[in-house]
Amino acid sequence: MKIDIISVVPDLLQSPFAHSIMKRAKDKGLLEVNVINLREYTTYARAQVDDYQFGGGAGMVMMVEPLVNAIESLQKKTTYDEIIFLTPDGETFNQKTANHLSLKKNLLLICGHYKGIDQRVRDHFITKEISIGDYVLSGGELAAAVLVDAIGRLIPGVLNDETSALTDSFQDNLLAPPVYTRPEEFRGWKVPEILLSGNHAKIDQWRQEQAHKRTQEKRPDLLEE
Ligand code: ADE
């Protein structure tokens, strides 16, 4: 999968994909992430990419021309399955959307800043608008990093143990059950006996029950869906 990201702060997106699972995905050739600096696509003086909003009011707006230049230039090389704008007024990102997007070949993510982007870009180019939660970030970069991480780890072959994504929280609308590792006892706190039993059918059943219990306690809304 290839993910291109248009940003005015490309430095913000250097580190998130350089470690751990994202690095492994890139090293295995399963995920390519390119960060494109929007300022390289502006024809305005001093690499300007934003301007005052028509009608007045506080806050700058990202201009239509640099964004369209960047998008159209990228489209000459790549046909995108989705062009996604990260914005607090988009649909809320969840595991279902991550699963869906992990099956795509080419994605283009657009990070907003200031008051947002000129509506004409949204009207004519954006195919999906995504928010990572009901709060406002200072830009779309951290949201884009969240998307790439959540999507990237689902690409077949990225995780070593292919089954581990299936038992994550939110797959099946359930939270993940509790997990334990060595030692078996610490300060008198014991690991549940069942996990040491070697009886895998019983262990699976226990995990299912715990997942239901945890979801009921913490996120009953998931069980209603
Ligand atoms: N940009 C600013 N806030 C955001 C959010 N919550 N989700 C996605 N993009 C954003």
Side-chain angles (χ1 to χ4, degrees):
M1 173 188 279
K2 180 167 85 158
I3 304 181
D4 291 339
I5 309 175
I6 296 176
S7 164
V8 282
V9 200
D11 284 354
L12 265 179
L13 290 163
Q14 291 314 313
S15 173
F17 316 123
H19 309 278
S20 180
I21 292 170
M22 290 301 103
K23 178 176 188 307
R24 198 161 76 218
K26 281 166 77 175
D27 290 348
K28 283 184 173 174
L30 297 168
L31 176 65
E32 176 188 337
V33 181
N34 305 301
V35 183
I36 293 102
N37 186 350
L38 182 65
R39 293 188 198 279
E40 288 173 13
Y41 291 88
T42 183
T43 52
Y44 293 89
R46 295 181 304 279
Q48 186 185 352
V49 290
D50 61 318
D51 210 340
Y52 296 100
Q53 50 179 317
F54 282 127
M60 306 292 271
V61 174
M62 284 169 69
M63 288 187 285
V64 62
E65 194 195 322
L67 278 165
V68 169
N69 284 347
I71 295 168
E72 287 185 337
S73 157
L74 292 164
Q75 280 178 321
K76 286 194 184 116
K77 287 177 281 179
T78 307
T79 305
Y80 294 104
D81 299 298
E82 298 279 6
I83 300 182
I84 300 170
F85 176 46
L86 284 315
T87 173
D89 59 12
E91 66 175 80
T92 309
F93 190 55
N94 58 22
Q95 195 63 31
K96 188 164 164 247
T97 310
N99 289 341
H100 172 74
L101 292 175
S102 73
L103 303 173
K104 305 290 183 194
K105 218 165 147 261
N106 298 305
L107 299 177
L108 176 58
L109 309 186
I110 305 203
C111 304
H113 262 265
Y114 323 110
K115 264 281 172 234
I117 65 176
D118 190 299
Q119 182 60 35
R120 288 165 290 188
V121 179
R122 298 172 75 158
D123 293 343
H124 298 284
F125 289 91
I126 302 298
T127 61
K128 208 173 183 54
E129 301 188 325
I130 294 182
S131 162
I132 63 161
D134 288 343
Y135 42 81
V136 180
L137 302 166
S138 53
E141 283 76 11
L142 296 182
V146 166
L147 239 72
V148 173
D149 191 296
I151 295 167
R153 62 191 290 284
L154 295 171
I155 298 169
V158 168
L159 293 183
N160 278 339
D161 178 357
E162 290 278 355
T163 61
S164 79
L166 299 175
T167 54
D168 284 341
S169 282
F170 303 114
Q171 299 286 1
D172 304 329
N173 270 1
L174 284 179
L175 301 182
V179 292
Y180 299 86
T181 186
R182 290 189 301 173
E184 282 177 26
E185 186 173 339
F186 177 76
R187 295 188 182 168
W189 307 326
K190 291 189 177 141
V191 170
E193 203 70 52
I194 184 85
L195 296 176
L196 311 172
S197 68
N199 183 333
H200 290 288
K202 281 253 166 69
I203 291 172
D204 282 349
Q205 193 193 337
W206 180 86
R207 286 183 171 148
Q208 273 292 326
E209 287 163 10
Q210 292 294 316
H212 268 101
K213 184 165 170 271
R214 191 173 262 193
T215 311
Q216 186 63 258
E217 282 167 10
K218 297 187 179 203
R219 292 291 307 275
D221 56 301
L222 291 176
L223 297 172
E224 281 152 26
E225 276 178 27

